[in-house]
PDB file of all heavy atoms in Angstrom:
ATOM      1  N   HIS A 757      91.732 148.713 122.497  1.00  0.00           N
ATOM      2  CA  HIS A 757      91.042 147.389 122.469  1.00  0.00           C
ATOM      3  C   HIS A 757      91.085 146.852 123.814  1.00  0.00           C
ATOM      4  O   HIS A 757      92.129 146.344 124.298  1.00  0.00           O
ATOM      5  CB  HIS A 757      91.685 146.525 121.413  1.00  0.00           C
ATOM      6  CG  HIS A 757      90.909 145.260 121.152  1.00  0.00           C
ATOM      7  ND1 HIS A 757      90.888 144.626 119.938  1.00  0.00           N
ATOM      8  CD2 HIS A 757      90.003 144.570 121.872  1.00  0.00           C
ATOM      9  CE1 HIS A 757      90.134 143.591 119.936  1.00  0.00           C
ATOM     10  NE2 HIS A 757      89.590 143.516 121.131  1.00  0.00           N
ATOM     11  N   HIS A 759      88.611 145.016 127.195  1.00  0.00           N
ATOM     12  CA  HIS A 759      87.367 144.417 127.671  1.00  0.00           C
ATOM     13  C   HIS A 759      87.316 144.527 129.218  1.00  0.00           C
ATOM     14  O   HIS A 759      88.218 144.069 129.832  1.00  0.00           O
ATOM     15  CB  HIS A 759      87.280 142.979 127.219  1.00  0.00           C
ATOM     16  CG  HIS A 759      87.284 142.775 125.728  1.00  0.00           C
ATOM     17  ND1 HIS A 759      86.168 142.829 125.011  1.00  0.00           N
ATOM     18  CD2 HIS A 759      88.344 142.507 124.918  1.00  0.00           C
ATOM     19  CE1 HIS A 759      86.487 142.624 123.739  1.00  0.00           C
ATOM     20  NE2 HIS A 759      87.803 142.486 123.600  1.00  0.00           N
ATOM     21  N   HIS A 790      82.392 143.286 123.934  1.00  0.00           N
ATOM     22  CA  HIS A 790      81.838 142.362 122.909  1.00  0.00           C
ATOM     23  C   HIS A 790      80.368 142.511 122.630  1.00  0.00           C
ATOM     24  O   HIS A 790      79.508 142.588 123.571  1.00  0.00           O
ATOM     25  CB  HIS A 790      81.999 140.898 123.302  1.00  0.00           C
ATOM     26  CG  HIS A 790      83.437 140.443 123.285  1.00  0.00           C
ATOM     27  ND1 HIS A 790      84.130 140.253 122.087  1.00  0.00           N
ATOM     28  CD2 HIS A 790      84.267 140.028 124.242  1.00  0.00           C
ATOM     29  CE1 HIS A 790      85.332 139.850 122.356  1.00  0.00           C
ATOM     30  NE2 HIS A 790      85.445 139.695 123.643  1.00  0.00           N
ATOM     31  N   GLU A 829      83.189 145.857 120.187  1.00  0.00           N
ATOM     32  CA  GLU A 829      83.797 144.931 119.203  1.00  0.00           C
ATOM     33  C   GLU A 829      82.621 144.049 118.710  1.00  0.00           C
ATOM     34  O   GLU A 829      82.083 143.243 119.396  1.00  0.00           O
ATOM     35  CB  GLU A 829      84.850 144.046 119.848  1.00  0.00           C
ATOM     36  CG  GLU A 829      85.476 143.052 118.893  1.00  0.00           C
ATOM     37  CD  GLU A 829      86.666 142.281 119.487  1.00  0.00           C
ATOM     38  OE1 GLU A 829      86.844 142.322 120.729  1.00  0.00           O
ATOM     39  OE2 GLU A 829      87.404 141.698 118.633  1.00  0.00           O
ATOM     40  N   ASP A 976      93.846 144.318 123.497  1.00  0.00           N
ATOM     41  CA  ASP A 976      92.896 143.173 123.556  1.00  0.00           C
ATOM     42  C   ASP A 976      92.862 142.544 124.946  1.00  0.00           C
ATOM     43  O   ASP A 976      92.789 141.298 125.052  1.00  0.00           O
ATOM     44  CB  ASP A 976      93.184 142.151 122.452  1.00  0.00           C
ATOM     45  CG  ASP A 976      91.974 141.390 122.037  1.00  0.00           C
ATOM     46  OD1 ASP A 976      90.878 141.477 122.711  1.00  0.00           O
ATOM     47  OD2 ASP A 976      91.983 140.655 121.029  1.00  0.00           O
ATOM     48  N   HIS A 978      91.769 141.312 128.518  1.00  0.00           N
ATOM     49  CA  HIS A 978      90.553 140.846 129.318  1.00  0.00           C
ATOM     50  C   HIS A 978      90.832 140.820 130.744  1.00  0.00           C
ATOM     51  O   HIS A 978      89.929 140.595 131.599  1.00  0.00           O
ATOM     52  CB  HIS A 978      90.089 139.465 128.802  1.00  0.00           C
ATOM     53  CG  HIS A 978      89.547 139.510 127.392  1.00  0.00           C
ATOM     54  ND1 HIS A 978      90.338 139.613 126.312  1.00  0.00           N
ATOM     55  CD2 HIS A 978      88.322 139.304 126.923  1.00  0.00           C
ATOM     56  CE1 HIS A 978      89.573 139.535 125.177  1.00  0.00           C
ATOM     57  NE2 HIS A 978      88.363 139.366 125.558  1.00  0.00           N
TER      58      HIS A 978
HETATM   59 ZN1  LIG B1121      88.663 141.826 121.850  1.00  0.00          ZN
END
Side-chain angles (χ1 to χ4, degrees):
H757 191 150
H759 299 275
H790 288 292
E829 178 173 16
D976 207 349
H978 292 74

